[in-house]
C-alpha cells in the first residue's frame, strides 16, 4: 500500500455493506488508516498479513486483496478480496486471486489458501470454484451483519 491508497482504503473499510462479510464492524478514521499504511512493514512474516492493491490496465486501483491469518508453521493463509462496485464483473477478481495463489505458492511457499464466503453469495463461490477451491465446512451463523446471522462456507485450495 502507498499513501495515495488511503482514499480507497477509507471507502472500503467504512462501507457498512461489507461489514457483514468481514471481521470489521466499525468505521475507521482517516488518521487510523493513514497510521496503518505508514507503519505496515509490508512483510507478512512481521505483520502476519499483507494487503495488496489491485490495479487495472490503466493503473487505477480497483480493489484490495488481503493475505491474512498467515500461519508459517502450517503453511496456510486466508485470502480476502474487495473489488469496488463500479469495477466488478470485469475479471479483476479472478485475475487477482490467480496472481495471489501463484504468490502464495512460489513466494510464500504455502501449502494451502482458504477463503470464508457467505453461503448465500453465489458469485464469489462460483469464482473460487473456477479457481480450483473446493467447498469445505459450512460455518453455521458465522457472519453477523448487525441484524441477522448468515452461514458461511469455508473453501480451500491445496497448492
Amino acid at each position: 500500500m502507498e499513501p495515495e491508497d488511503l482514499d480507497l482504503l477509507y471507502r472500503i473499510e467504512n462501507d457498512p455493506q461489507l461489514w457483514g462479510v468481514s471481521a470489521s464492524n466499525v468505521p475507521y478514521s482517516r488518521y487510523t488508516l493513514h497510521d496503518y499504511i505508514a507503519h505496515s512493514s509490508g512483510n507478512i512474516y512481521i505483520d502476519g498479513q499483507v494487503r495488496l492493491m489491485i490495479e487495472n490496465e490503466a493503473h487505477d486501483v480497483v480493489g484490495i486483496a488481503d493475505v491474512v491469518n498467515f500461519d508459517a508453521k502450517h503453511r496456510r493463509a486466508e485470502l480476502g478480496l474487495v473489488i469496488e462496485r463500479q469495477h466488478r464483473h470485469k475479471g479483476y477478481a479472478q485475475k487477482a486471486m490467480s496472481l495471489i495463489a501463484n504468490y502464495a505458492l512460489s513466494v510464500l511457499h504455502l501449502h494451502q489458501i482458504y477463503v470464508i464466503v457467505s453461503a448465500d453469495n453465489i458469485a464469489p463461490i462460483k469464482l473460487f470454484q473456477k479457481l480450483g477451491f473446493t467447498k469445505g465446512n459450512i460455518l453455521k451463523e458465522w457472519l453477523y451483519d448487525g441484524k441477522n446471522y448468515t452461514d458461511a462456507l469455508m473453501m480451500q485450495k491445496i497448492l
Side-chain angles (χ1 to χ4, degrees):
M1 289 184 299
E2 301 291 340
E4 55 268 19
D5 298 324
L6 177 61
D7 289 337
L8 173 68
L9 188 61
Y10 184 81
R11 281 193 308 274
I12 287 174
E13 292 293 349
N14 291 304
D15 184 344
Q17 291 182 335
L18 297 174
W19 293 348
V21 295
S22 73
S24 177
N25 64 353
V26 296
Y28 289 95
S29 69
R30 285 189 180 281
Y31 176 81
T32 298
L33 294 172
H34 180 273
D35 192 56
Y36 171 75
I37 292 171
H39 291 97
S40 175
S41 73
N43 184 331
I44 197 166
Y45 292 96
I46 293 171
D47 298 337
Q49 66 177 2
V50 65
R51 293 193 116 174
L52 304 164
M53 307 313 286
I54 301 167
E55 292 184 344
N56 64 13
E57 300 78 18
H59 302 289
D60 299 318
V61 177
V62 298
I64 299 175
D66 297 321
V67 181
V68 298
N69 296 325
F70 174 68
D71 187 330
K73 177 182 178 185
H74 297 291
R75 297 178 52 214
R76 66 178 173 239
E78 180 180 354
L79 305 183
L81 173 74
V82 175
I83 303 292
E84 285 203 291
R85 281 178 192 80
Q86 69 270 28
H87 299 292
R88 291 180 186 166
H89 309 292
K90 297 179 182 177
Y92 298 127
Q94 183 174 344
K95 181 67 173 174
M97 286 294 104
S98 180
L99 290 170
I100 288 177
N102 185 53
Y103 168 77
L105 175 64
S106 61
V107 177
L108 300 177
H109 308 291
L110 297 181
H111 173 65
Q112 68 177 286
I113 50 180
Y114 66 96
V115 294
I116 297 176
V117 181
S118 178
D120 61 2
N121 200 347
I122 303 305
I125 291 171
K126 286 182 179 180
L127 167 69
F128 287 114
Q129 284 179 311
K130 189 175 185 179
L131 293 169
F133 285 74
T134 58
K135 290 181 181 179
N137 291 336
I138 295 205
L139 305 167
K140 292 292 190 186
E141 299 184 1
W142 194 258
L143 301 170
Y144 182 65
D145 65 5
K147 295 178 185 174
N148 301 299
Y149 287 95
T150 305
D151 293 348
L153 180 63
M154 178 182 239
M155 300 180 74
Q156 296 173 273
K157 181 172 182 171
I158 304 298
L159 303 168

